[in-house]
Amino acid sequence: MMRSDAYEKGARPDSAPRRSGPPEEGRPEGRRAPEGGGTGGGRPRGGRARRALRWSATTLAVLILGTAGAGYLYYDHLNDNLVKGERSSGDSKAERSEPNAAGQTPLNILLIGSDSRASDANVELGGGRAHRDNPPLGDVQMLIHLAADRKSAAVVSIPRDTRVDIPRCTDPDTGTAYPATNDIINTSLGRGGPGCTLATWENLTGVYVDHWMTVDFAGVVRMADAVGGVEVCVRQNVWDRPLPGVPGGSGLKLRAGKTEVEGVRALQWLRTRHAWGSDVLRTRAQRMYLTSMIRTLRGQNVFTDTGRLTDLAEAATRSLRVSEEIGSVKKLYDLAMQLRTVPPDRITMTALPTVPDPRNANHLLPAGEDAEQVWALLRDDVPFDTKGGKGAASGSGTSGKPSREERTGDPSAPDGEIAVLVRNATRSAAQGPVAGRAGAVARELAGRGFTRAAPDTSAAGAEERTVVRYPAAGLRGDARRVAESLGIPAGSVRRSDDVTDVTVVVGADWREGGTYPEPEPPKAGDLPDDADALSAAEKGACMDVYAPYRW
């Protein structure tokens, strides 16, 4: 359900404490979040503990930014701060990528910004007191992709109002089951928690997502305060405030030019939408903030300020909720050590290409082939930039590479003995299903010798990519043989518990013809223009302000 923009009032309460010195436009005016969420923990004492904590604090504080970090300290109070949850709580068919020749696989982390008002701190920062008991919305969603060779990274944002298929999810805390639906993606968070949002991304992209991290309003303020000022830029004076007929607004007020923001003002920057003119442009402002923070943290000598480093450690562990596989200081450290290897000029931040939703002028849809082009780069682990030299995948993609099934040489039964069901899943968010598609592909198989092929008349659905599924290891060779006969790549053959026979699921990428139209493998840097790519090394980016919000 869409929520009124009135909840976006994020201005500083009059009673909020201020930093020393008079507030001025163009000057940071952050403050710490009100207490009331998470567990604390005393500051460790003693020289040895402080020295060790310097390393741990840096690692944790920069983890969600994909930047540098070193060392770790397994302090119980930091581990106790972390709140953990189930990795996936929804139906998803995505599988991990096969390792490349060096045994490496990509790493995918979903970062979710929640609009939850479930605490006094979040109500104060986000407004919308009447929405305190509403399910949270995942208004910020970014997929961080670290290449298998750890030499490049990509970040893809999706606007919160993008309509997608959300799978069946079960809330791990309450046991409540939510049926599959088609709705804007930010509602997935309230339909089974972060694990449902993760499953939604997996089904949308075909990419296995290893972990999720969530942060709420108060967590953003804590992190922004601990990190310190981050430079942002606007080309005109901006004031994101209520206007006649347009309620809400973040309260952000800045003069034209560059400004360092922290605390509440950083949250205001991240939440501003009206002043930029659209939700798509809000994702650009968020990516600009993230790239600036990466550069800020890399450029600081953070090892000399013990008090600040302690604040970083406390802020990070109190602000993050993470999937259970990374629910410890050491595991977060291990992730940070992988993320720190990527230089800023090899970190590319993009937005998912979208088009207007014909069903609702306030919503968006993934932009067909342009969106699929972005997902293909991620699935095949191809860099978003061209600085790798060869313009090819780092080695874990499926295009032109033998799958595990091919390498193990699983035998198949004779074609005429393989029972095959064909399921029509050609419906997509932008197009309806192709009538009779399952029957057409079943007849094609029969003509190629698979005489036991038949359409699955009991099932329909939506899949972006065509896949061949099989229920048990003994049928792996049969499934591979069916895929081969239709030209479906071996990487699209997957084991699944929701089929009883070898099943060809004809997706939205195969709407006509008898042979699967395998596209050309994606090339490095081959992003569509509307992906709005931004390098983390880019320093000159500024936001234009929508005219009604200039002052």
Side-chain angles (χ1 to χ4, degrees), residues 2 9-10 14 19 38 48 60 131 145-146 156 167 172 238 248 253 325 330 333 346 378 511 528 550:
M2 287 294 295
K9 296 178 181 178
D14 292 338
R19 293 185 179 273
R48 180 177 302 175
L60 291 172
H131 302 297
H145 173 86
L146 182 61
V156 180
V238 59
K253 189 175 184 182
E325 297 85 358
K330 182 182 184 303
Y333 159 75
R346 298 292 321 269
L378 292 178
R511 298 177 66 85
R550 299 175 187 176

Side-chain angles (χ1 to χ4, degrees), residues 1 125 220 244 264 277 311 338 351:
M1 180 182 298
L125 291 166
V220 169
V264 170
D311 287 344
Q338 297 181 65

Side-chain angles (χ1 to χ4, degrees), residues 346-368:
R346 298 292 321 269
I347 302 173
T348 306
M349 303 211 176
T350 64
L352 174 69
T354 55
V355 295
D357 183 352
R359 284 177 22 186
N360 187 324
N362 295 318
H363 296 169
L364 301 165
L365 293 175

